[in-house]
Amino acid sequence: MAFHNDAIFPTDISYGSRGGAGFSTQITTLDSGQEIRSQRWSQARHRYDASYGVRTLTDLKTVLEFYHARGGSANGFRWLDHMDYSTDSTRRGTPAWNDQNLGTLAGSARTIQMRTSYTSGGVTSYRTIEKPIASSVKVGWGGAEKTLSTHYTFDEDTGVITLTSAGHTDLSGGSVYFGCQFHVPARFGEGADDL
């Protein structure tokens, strides 16, 4: 399977869709009535139903052309989840360079993965960001935003930040911070090809 990194599902249609994050949890009920729960996935998978966003014949034609261009379920694409697409506190706003603390780099390492955090009741979970919106990425450390190319680069296909030699020297063991808007990596569901 390939990923069409430049292909973004039409955002006016995804805006009207239904869906979001979901986990796979196996729940076993014992004879005593107690439950044993086993979380199978460490991160949520997202599922959307775009049919709710199709309102006109033109919308349907747009989705049909997008579907054919992806080869059905064969190739992935970017999807904008209109309720959760930014690292800022609202999940839908303009990101800042210090939205998320990515931690420190180990030893001579120069790369670190983009991620966002979700905190509730003292529990924090992390979501890997693999498809950042390139124009929105901001990175910083030492109390200041840093300069792309001079201090760091990033891969918009993987969400990996790489510090340049100058950036690695400047970091000197501190935490790396970042913020961005992002897409969800998606594909058409397996059943779509059957229809």
Side-chain angles (χ1 to χ4, degrees):
M1 179 179 119
F3 193 90
H4 295 177
N5 201 46
D6 294 333
I8 302 168
F9 190 87
T11 56
D12 56 334
I13 297 172
S14 67
Y15 183 76
S17 67
R18 264 178 68 172
F23 285 90
S24 176
T25 304
Q26 180 180 7
I27 301 172
T28 305
T29 304
L30 304 177
D31 290 340
S32 66
Q34 292 183 321
E35 292 181 345
I36 298 173
R37 292 181 292 278
S38 177
Q39 183 177 338
R40 294 178 174 180
W41 302 336
S42 62
Q43 294 193 28
R45 288 179 65 182
H46 296 72
R47 185 179 188 138
Y48 303 94
D49 185 344
S51 66
Y52 290 90
V54 176
R55 294 180 181 84
T56 67
L57 192 55
T58 302
D59 290 346
L60 184 58
K61 179 180 176 286
T62 300
V63 172
L64 184 63
E65 289 187 12
F66 191 86
Y67 176 77
H68 277 276
R70 306 290 80 75
S73 302
N75 298 290
F77 53 88
R78 290 172 173 254
W79 175 278
L80 183 67
D81 181 337
H82 293 272
M83 293 302 295
D84 185 5
Y85 64 87
S86 179
T87 57
D88 84 319
S89 62
T90 69
R91 301 276 174 214
R92 298 184 305 177
T94 303
W97 69 267
N98 58 353
D99 283 346
Q100 300 291 318
N101 182 344
L102 298 179
T104 59
L105 297 177
S108 61
R110 291 189 179 186
T111 61
I112 196 162
Q113 178 68 52
M114 294 179 187
R115 69 180 187 188
T116 188
S117 60
Y118 300 85
T119 303
S120 176
V123 175
T124 300
S125 67
Y126 297 96
R127 174 183 180 183
T128 301
I129 296 175
E130 296 174 334
K131 303 299 177 194
I133 298 174
S135 61
S136 72
V137 174
K138 300 173 182 179
V139 178
W141 55 81
E145 183 175 355
K146 301 303 176 182
T147 307
L148 178 64
S149 297
T150 302
H151 296 102
Y152 71 95
T153 60
F154 67 90
D155 187 332
E156 66 180 297
D157 292 336
T158 63
V160 172
I161 298 168
T162 302
L163 274 58
T164 63
S165 295
H168 192 261
T169 302
D170 184 45
L171 178 63
S172 65
S175 289
V176 176
Y177 292 82
F178 108 106
C180 77
Q181 293 177 339
F182 54 90
H183 291 115
V184 178
R187 64 167 169 78
F188 285 100
E190 295 169 16
D193 290 341
D194 297 335
L195 298 176

